[in-house]
């Protein structure tokens, strides 16, 4: 089943898809040159929003979970991309230590860890799972929802190496976004570790990512001669905010009003008959925490205690004092009449799959990364890296190719973002 747009495919997005297909040789040549200049992250996932008139990334995760939700028919793409990624970080690698998040009570997350382990094993590596749980004293089997189990083992620090009992890995793969900070165990290791610990949410900021993305989008849009707004959401940033005390919200109100006005001007320019909105989110963090939709700046004057508390604290109890204000991009894609958004997965610089995040209780202008979401694998007929110019631009494989292009732009932005961060955090 291929999810479908509920809007007529005759507007600017269809034009965008056609322009991307027509420029495919130039686009792929441009990407090849970019990857010679910039090192792609080991892996990433990108949340896209398809409004029917605009297709844009709204979040980029450098520690993606959800590999268990990908279409199994394209596992081979993951294996080949993993081989390419490992060759770049440590060509002699034979053994991998995979470090997951600490939420062992989420069996579906652990199914994702199992899928990652399987990808690396099929790529030719010995893989064991090392847990950062402080109370894990001995190897522990945890059951998986699809059958089987996963062995979690306590990590040990020996000098400048992270090891398990009778296992000294060549490289370490983090699937833990380190929202609570980088533990001493992971500092100053001699092993290759990807993504770098300083790329976790304790130091990374979404506003820096979208600053890098804006530059990438402008370069790309000069290449194919389109308005960057069609793939780049407006955004702003504010620090010094405290939702629990109401500090800084007047400034946020003013910024929301400015963003809404900019969006209205674009809507008028392109005869778009939609009501603009802004997504206010924590400038760091994941799992859809600390996110709200604002259609009128006055709404910030009317936040109740529950709403303030929801915005004040995110994963691992981290307080929110920096926020990203992002142009809201409504999603007009549905799966079985429920609102959906595509999420594209990449390893190295290759698209390896994706899925639709589907929510039966959310609207087209709301965050779908919330409890109650479920997932439908993208029904790739061909790999998303390829397109077929003999078919219409909105043919499923061509639409997915367009998704892959925009997702790779976000991946390139992440590569540049990490380059900007490296001098501050690398030693």
């Amino acid at each position: 089943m291929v999810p479908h747009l509920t809007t007529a495919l005759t507007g600017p997005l269809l034009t965008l898809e056609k322009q991307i297909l027509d420029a495919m040789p130039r686009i792929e040549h441009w990407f090849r040159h970019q990857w010679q200049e910039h090192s792609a992250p080991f892996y990433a996932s990108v949340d896209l929003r398809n409004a029917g008139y605009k297709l844009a990334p709204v979040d980029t995760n450098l520690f993606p979970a959800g590999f268990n939700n990908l279409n199994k028919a394209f596992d081979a793409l993951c294996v080949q991309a993993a081989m390419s990624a490992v060759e770049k970080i440590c060509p002699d690698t034979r053994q991998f230590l995979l470090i997951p998040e600490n939420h062992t009570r989420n069996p579906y997350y652990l199914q994702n860890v199992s899928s990652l382990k399987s990808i690396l094993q099929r790529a030719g590596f010995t893989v064991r799972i090392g847990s950062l749980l402080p109370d894990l004293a001995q190897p522990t089997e945890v059951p998986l929802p699809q059958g089987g189990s996963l062995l979690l083992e306590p990590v040990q620090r020996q000098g400048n190496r992270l090891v398990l009992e009778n296992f000294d890995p060549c490289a370490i793969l983090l699937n833990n976004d380190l929202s609570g900070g980088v533990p001493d165990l992971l500092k100053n290791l001699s092993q290759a570790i990807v993504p770098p610990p300083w790329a976790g949410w304790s130091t990374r900021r979404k506003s820096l990512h979208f600053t890098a993305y804006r530059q990438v989008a402008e370069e790309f849009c000069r290449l194919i001669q389109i308005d960057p707004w069609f793939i780049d959401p407006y955004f702003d940033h504010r620090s010094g905010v405290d939702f629990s005390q109401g500090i800084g919200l007047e400034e946020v109100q003013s910024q929301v009003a400015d963003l809404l006005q900019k969006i209205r001007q674009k809507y008028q320019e392109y005869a778009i008959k939609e009501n603009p909105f802004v997504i206010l989110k924590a400038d760091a963090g994941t799992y859809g925490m600390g996110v709200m939709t604002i259609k009128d700046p006055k709404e910030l004057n009317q936040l109740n205690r529950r709403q303030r508390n929801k915005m004040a604290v995110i994963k691992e109890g981290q307080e929110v004092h920096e926020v990203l204000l992002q142009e809201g991009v409504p999603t007009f894609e549905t799966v079985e009449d429920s609102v959906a958004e595509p999420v594209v997965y990449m390893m190295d610089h290759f698209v390896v799959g994706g899925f639709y995040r589907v929510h039966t209780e959310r609207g087209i202008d709301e965050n779908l990364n919330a409890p109650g979401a479920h997932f439908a694998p993208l029904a790739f007929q061909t790999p998303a890296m390829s397109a077929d110019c003999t078919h219409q631009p909105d043919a499923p494989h061509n639409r997915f190719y367009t998704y892959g292009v925009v997702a790779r732009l976000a991946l390139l932005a992440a590569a540049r973002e990490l380059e900007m961060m490296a001098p501050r955090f690398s030693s």
Side-chain angles (χ1 to χ4, degrees), residues 401-417:
Y401 173 75
T402 305
Y403 290 166
V405 168
V406 177
R408 283 184 286 161
L409 293 176
L411 184 73
L412 177 57
R416 295 186 182 184
E417 172 195 1

Side-chain angles (χ1 to χ4, degrees), residues 322-378:
E322 297 178 81
V323 292
L324 180 77
L325 300 84
Q326 188 175 62
E327 174 189 349
V329 182
T331 178
F332 283 92
E333 296 195 82
T334 64
V335 174
E336 296 180 344
D337 297 324
S338 295
V339 175
E341 65 185 8
V343 184
V344 176
Y345 276 63
M346 291 156 288
M347 299 187 80
D348 193 35
H349 60 272
F350 302 102
V351 174
V352 297
F355 54 76
Y356 279 93
R357 181 183 289 118
V358 186
H359 209 298
T360 60
E361 299 177 359
R362 292 286 173 115
I364 64 172
D365 56 3
E366 293 182 283
N367 169 44
L368 304 188
N369 189 8
H374 66 277
F375 309 99
L378 284 174

Side-chain angles (χ1 to χ4, degrees), residues 43-48 64-79 81 119 341-357 376-386 400-401 403-405 407-408:
Y43 55 8
S45 66
V46 177
D47 295 357
L48 300 175
F67 278 90
N68 54 309
N69 296 316
L70 302 185
N71 191 328
K72 300 302 180 186
F74 292 91
D75 280 357
L77 290 178
C78 295
V79 172
I119 290 168
E341 65 185 8
V343 184
V344 176
Y345 276 63
M346 291 156 288
M347 299 187 80
D348 193 35
H349 60 272
F350 302 102
V351 174
V352 297
F355 54 76
Y356 279 93
R357 181 183 289 118
L378 284 174
F380 289 124
Q381 296 177 4
T382 58
M385 289 284 283
S386 65
F400 296 153
Y401 173 75
Y403 290 166
V405 168
R408 283 184 286 161

Side-chain angles (χ1 to χ4, degrees), residues 94-126:
R94 298 180 184 180
Q95 297 177 319
F96 253 105
L97 176 62
L98 176 54
I99 297 181
E101 297 278 358
N102 288 345
H103 36 260
T104 56
R105 294 182 181 178
N106 184 337
Y108 296 100
Y109 170 73
L110 293 176
Q111 192 74 57
N112 153 75
V113 176
S114 179
S115 297
L116 267 176
K117 179 182 178 182
S118 175
I119 290 168
L120 291 172
Q121 286 176 326
R122 292 172 60 186
F125 306 104
T126 301

Side-chain angles (χ1 to χ4, degrees), residues 77-183:
L77 290 178
C78 295
V79 172
Q80 293 170 353
M83 289 178 178
S84 175
V86 173
E87 286 174 2
K88 294 176 180 178
I89 62 169
C90 187
D92 295 329
T93 296
R94 298 180 184 180
Q95 297 177 319
F96 253 105
L97 176 62
L98 176 54
I99 297 181
E101 297 278 358
N102 288 345
H103 36 260
T104 56
R105 294 182 181 178
N106 184 337
Y108 296 100
Y109 170 73
L110 293 176
Q111 192 74 57
N112 153 75
V113 176
S114 179
S115 297
L116 267 176
K117 179 182 178 182
S118 175
I119 290 168
L120 291 172
Q121 286 176 326
R122 292 172 60 186
F125 306 104
T126 301
V127 186
R128 286 166 66 176
I129 313 299
S131 175
L132 297 178
L133 280 168
D135 56 351
L136 188 72
Q138 59 187 13
T140 302
E141 293 272 357
V142 292
L144 298 174
Q146 296 179 8
S149 62
L150 199 65
L151 181 65
L152 300 181
E153 303 181 68
V155 295
Q156 306 170 32
R157 179 79 181 235
Q158 292 184 357
N160 60 358
R161 299 187 69 81
L162 203 61
V163 303
L164 305 179
E165 186 173 355
N166 300 319
F167 187 72
D168 188 353
C170 316
I172 299 167
L173 176 60
L174 287 176
N175 197 241
N176 183 318
D177 63 29
L178 304 178
S179 293
V182 181

Side-chain angles (χ1 to χ4, degrees), residues 11-24 26-27 30 53-57 213-234 266 269-270 402 405-406 409:
L13 183 62
L14 191 62
T15 301
L16 170 64
E17 292 172 335
K18 186 177 188 306
Q19 288 172 302
I20 286 177
L21 290 177
D22 290 345
M24 183 172 63
R26 276 182 290 147
I27 289 170
W30 182 81
Y53 54 83
K54 179 169 186 161
L55 175 65
Y213 181 78
R214 173 145 300 165
Q215 180 187 54
V216 168
E218 288 174 352
E219 293 174 17
F220 176 79
C221 291
R222 282 197 296 270
L223 179 74
I224 67 170
Q225 297 183 327
I226 65 168
D227 183 344
W229 180 76
F230 285 124
I231 62 169
D232 182 18
Y234 288 138
K266 277 295 181 183
E269 180 180 350
Y270 291 107
T402 305
V405 168
V406 177
L409 293 176

